[in-house]
Amino acid sequence: MSSSPHIRSRVTSANIMLCVTIALLPASAFGVWNFGLPAFIMLLSTTVSAVLTEYIYEKLMHRKVTINDFSAVVTGLLLGLNMPASAPWWMGALGSVFGILVVKQLFGGLGQNFMNPALGARCFLLISFTGQMTTYIYDGVTGPTPLAMLKDGQSVDSMKMLVGTIPGTIGETSVIAIIIGAIFLILIGAIDLRIPGTYIVTFVIFIGIFGQFSNANVGFFDVQYITAHLCGGGLMLGAWFMATDYVTSPITKKGQLVYGALLGILTGLFRLFGGSAEGVSYAIIISNLFVPLIEKVTLPKPFGKGGEK
């Protein structure tokens, strides 16, 4: 929480989380349409497991049950959208238990977690079940994602990436569906453009400058190459729905700009020079760890003695 004076509002955590849930529905619906029944089962598994884990833990610890604030629903839904539809349902359930229990509740619950629970859970699953978490089946065929093809120097169809008819995780494929949800959050004032805007702009600059060093077939600020990177992987889902998490992002305006720039640089580094074609999850988690330092450096100076006049 920022320092006083405070402006009182009727907006609650439950209102915000419900709005985020609604904003995720277009990407969820497209994911189910794109990948079929396995995607629906995965989303159901992660969401129900997240809610049940929070309910059972709080009951056992004799704490107030907070499942009606929709934060567990958002965590479960985000994790499901970051899962491949081909992964078994129990893996998604295990990830939800880890995200809610270890990343969120053991650190004090909503508002106390030091990293995004859904991304913490995804990284846990990536480390534990690397093969299944990086296997993507589309139209019955197992194949690489467009980002993996791009990293290998192959050409990709940016229009298919924009629409979402490509292999990938359940919720990351359709940029259009993600943007619909993001516009909804912007219009109701749940998020602003500082973090996602700075994130995307910094990423574009980084890819435009250093893409030629990673891929010999790419020129300086190659538009098609940059577009493919913007539409591929979890960049849009991460920028609009996970990097903007109230708990794990800076509250200062300057800090949000620094945070967004750090996200863009780390994502570019991981994608171009890392071993994997993707890097959004690790970029956001690492940036989450720097938030206390960013806020300390960018905290506005108070007026009066010892402060600015």
Side-chain angles (χ1 to χ4, degrees):
M1 182 180 294
S2 61
S3 60
S4 59
H6 299 132
I7 300 175
R8 295 189 177 275
S9 171
R10 294 182 180 180
V11 177
T12 64
S13 297
N15 297 148
I16 295 171
M17 292 300 169
L18 177 59
C19 289
V20 174
T21 302
I22 294 171
L24 287 170
L25 291 181
S28 302
F30 184 86
V32 172
W33 176 83
N34 200 26
F35 297 103
L37 184 60
F40 177 76
I41 294 174
M42 178 60 73
L43 292 174
L44 187 65
S45 172
T46 55
T47 305
V48 171
S49 298
V51 174
L52 282 178
T53 301
E54 183 154 304
Y55 176 81
I56 293 171
Y57 176 83
E58 290 175 334
K59 276 291 187 180
L60 291 175
M61 295 295 106
H62 304 289
R63 293 168 56 181
K64 179 183 176 182
V65 175
T66 59
I67 58 173
N68 58 347
D69 66 9
F70 286 93
S71 62
V73 174
V74 170
T75 295
L77 196 54
L78 279 173
L79 175 60
L81 292 173
N82 277 281
M83 295 287 292
S86 57
W89 67 268
W90 58 263
M91 192 178 295
L94 177 63
S96 288
V97 172
F98 180 87
I100 294 294
L101 186 61
V102 178
V103 181
K104 181 180 178 183
Q105 291 297 339
L106 292 184
F107 284 89
L110 182 64
Q112 305 298 319
N113 48 285
F114 68 98
M115 69 171 62
N116 186 290
L119 286 181
R122 182 172 189 252
C123 291
F124 162 73
L125 293 176
L126 278 170
I127 295 170
S128 304
F129 308 99
T130 306
Q132 289 163 298
M133 286 292 292
T134 54
T135 298
Y136 304 100
I137 300 175
Y138 188 71
D139 283 343
V141 179
T142 301
T145 63
L147 278 186
M149 296 171 63
L150 205 62
K151 194 174 182 68
D152 288 337
Q154 303 178 46
S155 60
V156 296
D157 189 333
S158 296
M159 185 55 65
K160 285 186 177 181
M161 297 173 74
L162 180 68
V163 175
T165 52
I166 54 172
T169 63
I170 296 170
E172 75 179 12
T173 56
S174 177
V175 175
I176 294 175
I178 293 169
I179 293 300
I180 290 172
I183 290 174
F184 169 72
L185 291 181
I186 292 172
L187 291 177
I188 65 173
I191 63 173
D192 60 38
L193 292 173
R194 284 191 195 92
I195 292 175
T198 308
Y199 184 180
I200 293 171
V201 169
T202 304
F203 177 75
V204 167
I205 294 173
F206 189 95
I207 291 291
I209 295 173
F210 296 103
Q212 57 188 328
F213 299 109
S214 175
N215 192 324
N217 298 322
V218 175
F220 184 72
F221 273 91
D222 189 309
V223 175
Q224 198 280 330
Y225 184 73
I226 293 173
T227 303
H229 267 287
L230 285 174
C231 294
L235 178 67
M236 288 297 171
L237 186 64
W240 296 104
F241 289 97
M242 290 177 282
T244 54
D245 177 24
Y246 285 11
V247 178
T248 57
S249 61
I251 59 174
T252 61
K253 293 181 179 180
K254 290 181 181 178
Q256 291 171 356
L257 297 177
V258 174
Y259 178 69
L262 179 61
L263 286 168
I265 293 170
L266 287 177
T267 303
L269 278 172
F270 292 149
R271 281 196 179 182
L272 294 183
F273 306 109
S276 172
E278 182 57 293
V280 173
S281 297
Y282 292 113
I284 295 178
I285 283 182
I286 292 173
S287 297
N288 288 162
L289 301 179
F290 281 97
V291 166
L293 178 60
I294 292 174
E295 289 184 330
K296 183 178 180 180
V297 173
T298 60
L299 193 67
K301 293 182 180 180
F303 285 94
K305 187 177 180 179
E308 293 182 341
K309 296 181 180 180

